[in-house]
Amino acid sequence: MNATVSAELGLRLVVPDRTTVPLLAGLSYTAEDPYAIRMAFHVGNDEPVEWIFARELLTVGIVRRVGDGDVQVWPARSDGERTLNISLTSPFGQALFEVPLPPLTEFLHRTYELVSAGRETDFMDLDEELSNMLWSS
């Protein structure tokens, strides 16, 4: 059984004058880190910029605004198309992305086929996680 789900996703960066810039993002999900989705934004020729999202945050954001602090997610429409807005804030600035819903929901569906909701702890090695936390302090 493949313990990783990945997808390439076309999305749009919304720039200050409300125009959009198309971008490509790589999504990945692994059963070893069952609560997290990694999204690597490909901007120019530089190394991709990676953000880690709670899977539940992206899932809930499809139906209502969710998140506080650095990451906020909410449903929207753009040119009649259902989208997910993702707002990211860091010390370097703020970015707003529009993500087309169909490919994102297909990706999320595949993550829940791999690790169903509520079963995440079955895939974690709690002894190893605890050991890592204790050693890093």
Side-chain angles (χ1 to χ4, degrees), residues 19 25-26 30 36 45-47 51 64 66-67 70 74 78 90 100 110-112 114 120 124 127 136:
T19 57
T30 175
N45 295 327
D46 298 333
E47 285 292 309
W51 279 71
R64 66 176 171 82
V66 65
D70 297 347
W74 66 95
S78 177
S90 79
R110 289 191 294 136
T111 72
Y112 286 105
L114 184 62
E120 291 91 352
M124 297 181 69
D127 290 335
S136 65

Side-chain angles (χ1 to χ4, degrees), residues 18 20 27-28 51 54 63 68 104 114 124:
R18 300 300 299 165
T20 59
L27 297 173
S28 67
W51 279 71
V63 287
D68 48 49
L104 178 66
L114 184 62
M124 297 181 69

Side-chain angles (χ1 to χ4, degrees), residues 2-3 50 63 106 110:
N2 186 356
E50 186 175 84
V63 287
E106 194 272 334
R110 289 191 294 136

